[in-house]
Amino acid sequence: MLIDALEKELSHLDESGLRRILRVAEGPTNIRQRITDRAGVTKEHLLFCSNDYLGLASHSKVKEALKEGVDRWGGGSGASHLISGHTRAHVDLEEKLSALYEPFIGMNRCLTFSTGFMANLAVMTALGGEDAELFSDQLNHASLIDGMRLAKGNVSRFKHKDYVSLESALSRSTAKKKIIVSDGVFSMDGDFCDGPQLVRLAEKYDAFVVIDDAHGFGTIGDTGLGTIQYQNIQSNRVISIGTLSKAAGLSGAFVIAPRLVIDYLEQVARSYIYTTASVPALSYALLASIDIICGDEGALLREKLHKIGEKLFEGLISIKSSQSNLHWRIPKTMTPIQPVVLGDAASTMGLSIGLENLGFRVPGIRPPTVPEGTSRLRITLSAAHEESDVDQLLDAMRQLT
Ligand SMILES: *Cc1c(COP(=O)(O)O)cnc(C)c1O
């Protein structure tokens, strides 16, 4: 019977220490939050786990714009985009993003989605038809992977950033449509794809490159436009996907691509067509959030983020070098994602729980989210953190190791 079978599977998760728990935040998104655990105990935590990288979720201008958006546009959109849910607020957002990316993907068009997950399903299924082959970095985000599972075309995986094996797969492929799929900033490692190299391969083998820049948008590049700006990629073979739920502090996603690609998505992508258009007030508020990201304030926030990132990295290195028994791998990243790879799942979770008991929320990430033997703490920083917050975290980690 279903219930018995599920119960058995859940208790198996319990026994192997893999059962995840939901915690409840009792207040707005911020680096300090009161959180209730499963035992019902509420206490304040200092968070190093949010993707609200610039602190815009609680920014006064963003909140004001959201309220104003509700006054102008009301609540829900009432229908899917192709019926009657596509509002001027959505169009304004799409046009703004399209113009911002024009120097990188010329003659582009932008299409917005309710979430990054849905944008990725749309792009993978619409472009990855039977006559397509998708070439996927092994560490790509789950939503790309699920999109590829739904796509009818073949999927060839290559080892993380192993572009030599990518090239040999491309050279063997006889597919009519070849699509290279990669995160821009990898969500569990904080490293970048090599965009120029991917574009070079795309040109050589007549392919397209999909870059999912969920973590890059807002956090890197001179005006926050992400990997494509940071690596100065100019190509009409690139399809860039950004989420508006992370650095932009709200929710939603966008796809920028040569116009024809977007015209096609709009006609066939099922996660675009068969879902209600997002709340228009969100699009309205996102205009304010993007103004902050691309303006002087955004530049200052990114500078601060970078500075506390350096401090964190140096502190971690000093903890590691002061204790010969620590075999941490601490990759240097230019992004707000700083992994500390411990290797085994048990010690990773032990440290994560130890930190939680001291009032720090730093998730431990283990298989299947990351490959076996690479369990890690995933520390994420926000421009809302102060240097003293990083000091507190480092002190707690010292105490626990
Ligand atoms: C978070 C994330 C997504 C999903 O975005 P949502 O807007 O949260 O659905 C997609 N890709 C990557 C790499 C992500 O980190």
Side-chain angles (χ1 to χ4, degrees):
M1 185 203 161
L2 176 70
I3 295 298
D4 296 330
L6 298 185
E7 192 175 14
K8 210 165 144 200
E9 285 174 39
L10 284 175
S11 58
H12 183 70
L13 285 179
D14 273 330
E15 283 153 21
S16 39
L18 289 177
R19 183 151 177 178
R20 310 184 57 169
I21 59 163
L22 272 175
R23 300 163 178 83
V24 182
E26 304 290 353
T29 302
N30 216 319
I31 53 159
R32 283 194 173 70
Q33 277 186 314
R34 287 169 54 73
I35 293 179
T36 304
D37 65 18
R38 196 158 52 175
V41 178
T42 305
K43 71 172 186 189
E44 185 174 279
H45 283 77
L46 182 53
L47 272 64
F48 288 93
C49 56
S50 162
N51 302 317
D52 177 29
Y53 297 123
L54 300 179
L56 297 192
S58 294
H59 193 291
S60 59
K61 282 193 186 143
V62 175
K63 291 196 294 186
E64 275 312 310
L66 192 54
K67 289 180 210 164
E68 204 179 300
V70 172
D71 288 340
R72 291 190 182 209
W73 292 100
S77 67
S80 62
H81 284 277
L82 290 165
I83 302 300
S84 64
H86 194 56
T87 66
R88 181 60 59 193
H90 295 99
V91 174
D92 288 346
L93 175 63
E94 290 175 346
E95 288 181 349
K96 182 167 192 127
L97 286 163
S98 166
L100 287 169
Y101 282 91
E102 194 58 30
F104 306 101
I105 304 174
M107 311 279 281
N108 74 61
R109 193 186 147 198
C110 170
L111 200 65
T112 54
F113 289 78
S114 301
T115 70
F117 205 117
M118 291 167 72
N120 284 345
L121 291 189
V123 174
M124 295 298 103
T125 55
L127 304 184
E130 270 160 16
D131 51 354
E133 184 165 353
L134 297 150
F135 302 85
S136 171
D137 190 293
Q138 180 193 15
L139 295 189
N140 279 342
H141 189 260
S143 57
L144 288 171
I145 294 170
D146 284 6
M148 288 185 264
R149 284 184 181 146
L150 275 176
K152 297 214 166 66
N154 274 333
V155 179
S156 309
R157 294 207 309 164
F158 56 93
K159 271 205 188 144
H160 183 45
K161 290 170 72 172
D162 178 354
Y163 298 152
V164 173
S165 67
L166 167 61
E167 176 157 13
S168 75
L170 281 165
S171 68
R172 284 193 307 268
S173 173
T174 55
K176 203 154 87 187
K177 302 176 186 156
K178 302 185 189 76
I179 301 157
I180 303 166
V181 182
S182 179
D183 281 11
V185 172
F186 286 86
S187 45
M188 294 301 143
D189 292 70
D191 60 337
F192 294 98
C193 70
D194 183 341
Q197 174 77 341
L198 293 178
V199 168
R200 193 184 66 74
L201 290 174
E203 276 160 5
K204 184 163 171 194
Y205 294 98
D206 193 23
F208 266 76
V209 188
V210 173
I211 296 179
D212 172 358
D213 212 17
H215 300 279
F217 178 71
T219 66
I220 53 168
D222 285 346
T223 60
L225 296 181
T227 303
I228 196 169
Q229 184 179 45
Y230 187 71
Q231 299 186 342
N232 195 22
I233 297 166
Q234 289 159 29
S235 170
N236 58 5
R237 289 183 177 271
V238 172
I239 297 166
S240 186
I241 302 168
T243 50
L244 299 163
S245 51
K246 290 174 179 158
L250 287 158
S251 85
F254 61 96
V255 182
I256 307 265
R259 169 165 285 279
L260 209 81
V261 174
I262 299 293
D263 290 351
Y264 183 76
L265 283 185
E266 174 196 277
Q267 297 303 312
V268 306
R270 295 168 69 86
S271 63
Y272 182 74
I273 298 170
Y274 298 106
T275 191
T276 301
S278 62
V279 171
L282 274 174
S283 294
Y284 183 83
L286 279 162
L287 295 173
S289 159
I290 291 167
D291 278 341
I292 297 170
I293 287 175
C294 295
D296 294 344
E297 188 176 351
L300 286 174
L301 293 171
R302 280 185 292 280
E303 202 175 296
K304 183 173 174 202
L305 199 49
H306 191 72
K307 198 165 149 211
I308 53 178
E310 299 260 289
K311 184 178 174 74
L312 173 67
F313 178 75
E314 278 156 26
L316 291 168
I317 292 289
S318 109
I319 295 177
K320 180 185 164 177
S321 54
S322 68
Q323 297 181 48
S324 56
N325 60 330
L326 292 181
H327 301 291
W328 294 356
R329 194 167 62 75
I330 308 166
K332 173 104 176 109
T333 78
M334 297 302 291
T335 65
I337 303 169
Q338 177 64 64
V340 180
V341 183
L342 280 76
D344 80 292
S347 50
T348 302
M349 297 323 285
L351 185 51
S352 173
I353 291 165
L355 285 168
E356 186 160 13
N357 291 337
L358 294 176
F360 299 87
R361 181 80 186 105
V362 186
I365 314 280
R366 58 203 156 170
T369 307
V370 292
E372 206 65 53
T374 70
S375 289
R376 68 198 63 191
L377 290 184
R378 178 178 182 269
I379 305 173
T380 57
L381 292 171
S382 160
H385 284 122
E386 298 301 335
E387 292 200 12
S388 56
D389 296 322
V390 172
D391 283 331
Q392 282 184 40
L393 174 65
L394 290 167
D395 285 345
M397 288 179 77
R398 248 180 234 112
Q399 190 183 325
L400 292 167
T401 51

